[in-house]
């Protein structure tokens, strides 16, 4: 049997962990895998798997270094990765692509794979981007890039039921080309019982559709209503909407006792500390049609969420994620009332519900099961 080639440019954060988990799942299900991706950070768990062969292009430079050096390493990563991808065609006709390179680089190799008879399974994390990279007058060009990449795929895998509709509506993808396979469970340590710290957490890239600013205003409103809640906002600036972080920092400045900002990349060790310290994650998402890696992390750590049932979050709640559902349409009053409702429930009850949710999600989102489902797409 020819190996399954898994390709991604991602090597850190949730998308990097997803690729590593997928490879582990494929290997556990009995597939031989050729994994092409930069070395994982902070560790590359796939390196120890006997039926996985690794090709590691260089990593791009995220922090520090001169602009020419960053550009050189990025281009070296693209060239090394796509070169290895095309070379893998001589060994296999079965490819899984997750988080590809920018369109201008990725489209041509994907086209060549299809033209030479390969089957390409494209894992679509975000059917439409959370924030567009190009200005509005060039939006058509970015949409064309998405349409071409989707057209290169033999099968498109979305990570939640909510991911189907945007592909059909916005990109004319045939419905029989779309398969739903859940996002796997991250291997995160259990955070233990709810500490009763009156601390909430907003985690991940600080994007407008996550409504971080609204979450912060709701914390201020809940404090005004007598709830001694605080919140840490931990994550990096959205490169496509950099001013949004400034808006959030201005809100934090109005309530320094209740709102703490930790901006930039959050290392895994710090993520574990934040999860252990908080009572729940606050996620009033909107315009969201993908799966939430943050919600998966919360559930697997044994932490409840106060969340809108947007995108794949609704699937996770149905599967067992402990949650207070924010009513839709999401507004300040609804988020505030949801915070107050969460703290009106005893912490012991939340600890029990979150512990049960961790077990249920671990069963529903097991990587070997997901690996088997993707491998069967090639049969």
């Amino acid at each position: 049997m020819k190996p399954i080639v898994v390709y991604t440019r991602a090597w850190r954060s949730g998308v990097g962990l997803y690729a590593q988990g997928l490879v582990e799942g494929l290997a556990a299900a009995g597939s031989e895998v050729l994994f092409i991706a930069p070395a994982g950070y902070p560790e590359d768990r796939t390196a120890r798997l006997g039926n996985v062969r690794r090709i590691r292009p260089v990593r791009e430079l995220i922090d520090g270094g001169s602009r020419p050096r960053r550009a050189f390493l990025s281009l070296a990563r693209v060239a090394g990765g796509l070169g290895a991808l095309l070379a893998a065609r001589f060994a296999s006709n079965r490819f899984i692509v997750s988080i590809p390179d920018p369109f201008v680089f990725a489209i041509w190799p994907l086209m060549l794979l299809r033209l030479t008879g390969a089957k390409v399974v494209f894992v679509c994390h975000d059917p439409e981007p959370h924030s567009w990279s190009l200005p509005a007058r060039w939006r058509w060009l970015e949409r064309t890039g998405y349409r071409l990449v989707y057209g290169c795929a033999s099968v498109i895998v979305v990570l939640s039921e909510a991911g189907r509709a945007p592909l059909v509506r916005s990109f004319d993808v045939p419905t029989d080309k779309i398969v739903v396979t859940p996002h796997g469970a991250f291997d995160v340590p259990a955070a233990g019982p709810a500490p009763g710290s009156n601390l909430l957490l907003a985690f991940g890239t600080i994007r407008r559709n996550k409504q971080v600013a609204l979450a912060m205003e709701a914390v201020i409103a809940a404090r005004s209503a007598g709830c001694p809640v605080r919140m840490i906002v931990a994550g990096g600036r959205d490169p496509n909407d950099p001013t949004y972080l400034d808006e959030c920092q201005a809100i934090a400045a109005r309530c320094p006792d209740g709102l703490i900002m930790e901006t930039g990349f959050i290392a895994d060790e710090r993520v574990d500390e934040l999860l252990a310290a908080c009572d729940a994650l606050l996620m009033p998402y909107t315009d969201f049609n993908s799966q939430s890696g943050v919600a998966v992390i919360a559930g697997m750590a044994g932490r409840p969420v106060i969340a809108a049932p947007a995108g794949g979050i609704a699937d996770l709640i149905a599967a067992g994620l402990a949650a207070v559902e924010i009513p839709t349409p999401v507004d300040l009053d609804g988020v505030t009332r949801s915070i107050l409702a969460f703290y009106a429930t005893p912490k012991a009850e939340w600890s029990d519900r979150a512990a049960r949710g961790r077990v249920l999600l671990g069963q529903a989102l097991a990587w070997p099961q997901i690996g088997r489902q993707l491998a069967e797409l090639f049969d």
Side-chain angles (χ1 to χ4, degrees), residues 328-342:
T328 56
V330 177
D331 59 19
L332 177 61
D333 180 65
V335 180
T336 304
R337 285 189 287 109
S338 297
I339 293 172
L340 296 176
F342 174 82

Side-chain angles (χ1 to χ4, degrees), residues 54-134:
R54 281 294 266 120
I55 296 178
R56 300 178 180 84
V58 298
R59 293 173 177 168
E60 63 263 70
L61 194 62
I62 301 300
D63 299 310
S66 64
R67 181 174 296 179
R69 178 169 172 75
R70 290 198 301 270
F72 172 79
L73 289 175
S74 293
L75 289 174
R77 193 262 308 151
V78 170
L82 293 181
L85 179 67
L86 291 174
R89 179 65 185 89
F90 292 101
S92 181
N93 60 353
R94 307 192 299 168
F95 291 81
I96 297 175
V97 176
S98 169
I99 310 294
D101 300 282
F103 301 137
V104 68
F105 301 114
I107 289 169
W108 315 111
L110 293 177
M111 284 183 175
L112 189 56
L113 290 177
R114 289 302 309 279
L115 288 171
T116 58
K119 185 167 186 177
V120 177
V121 174
F122 184 78
V123 180
C124 181
H125 293 258
D126 303 311
E128 289 185 294
H130 298 304
S131 56
W132 296 90
S133 300
L134 298 178

Side-chain angles (χ1 to χ4, degrees), residues 40-336:
Y41 175 87
E43 63 173 331
D44 194 335
R45 300 196 310 268
T46 61
R48 63 175 181 261
L49 301 176
N51 51 341
V52 174
R53 186 161 67 90
R54 281 294 266 120
I55 296 178
R56 300 178 180 84
V58 298
R59 293 173 177 168
E60 63 263 70
L61 194 62
I62 301 300
D63 299 310
S66 64
R67 181 174 296 179
R69 178 169 172 75
R70 290 198 301 270
F72 172 79
L73 289 175
S74 293
L75 289 174
R77 193 262 308 151
V78 170
L82 293 181
L85 179 67
L86 291 174
R89 179 65 185 89
F90 292 101
S92 181
N93 60 353
R94 307 192 299 168
F95 291 81
I96 297 175
V97 176
S98 169
I99 310 294
D101 300 282
F103 301 137
V104 68
F105 301 114
I107 289 169
W108 315 111
L110 293 177
M111 284 183 175
L112 189 56
L113 290 177
R114 289 302 309 279
L115 288 171
T116 58
K119 185 167 186 177
V120 177
V121 174
F122 184 78
V123 180
C124 181
H125 293 258
D126 303 311
E128 289 185 294
H130 298 304
S131 56
W132 296 90
S133 300
L134 298 178
R137 66 180 181 276
W138 297 109
R139 190 68 43 79
W140 65 271
L141 186 59
E142 196 167 356
R143 284 191 174 277
T144 299
Y146 275 88
R147 192 182 297 272
L148 287 172
V149 167
Y150 294 153
C152 290
S154 310
V155 177
I156 297 176
V157 171
V158 292
L159 306 180
S160 70
E161 286 291 342
R164 290 183 186 268
L167 289 174
V168 176
R169 179 185 65 247
S170 300
F171 301 102
D172 300 318
V173 176
T175 55
D176 59 0
K177 188 176 176 175
I178 305 169
V179 174
V180 179
T181 301
H183 191 303
F186 290 131
D187 183 17
V188 296
S197 58
N198 292 318
L199 180 67
L200 299 178
L201 175 63
F203 172 65
T205 304
I206 300 172
R207 293 195 306 259
R208 201 169 292 271
N209 76 317
K210 289 186 174 182
Q211 301 213 97
V212 179
L214 177 64
M216 298 171 77
E217 294 285 6
V219 168
I220 293 175
R223 288 170 63 86
S224 297
C227 179
V229 63
R230 299 171 297 127
M231 184 168 71
I232 294 178
V233 178
R237 185 188 297 266
D238 182 353
N240 298 325
D241 188 7
T243 62
Y244 188 60
L245 176 59
D246 300 333
E247 296 174 28
C248 293
Q249 288 175 326
I251 297 171
R254 288 168 31 211
C255 185
D257 293 336
L259 296 169
I260 304 104
M261 301 286 293
E262 291 190 21
T263 57
F265 177 72
I266 310 299
D268 286 3
E269 296 81 6
R270 181 55 180 158
V271 174
D272 293 342
E273 293 172 356
L274 291 170
L275 290 169
C278 76
D279 294 324
L281 280 78
L282 182 55
M283 307 174 64
Y285 292 6
T286 189
D287 295 329
F288 185 76
N289 49 42
S290 51
Q291 185 51 277
S292 169
V294 172
V296 174
I297 289 174
M300 294 309 300
R303 284 293 175 263
V305 299
I306 305 169
I313 298 175
D315 296 352
L316 296 177
I317 293 173
L321 176 65
V324 171
E325 288 194 32
I326 298 171
T328 56
V330 177
D331 59 19
L332 177 61
D333 180 65
V335 180
T336 304

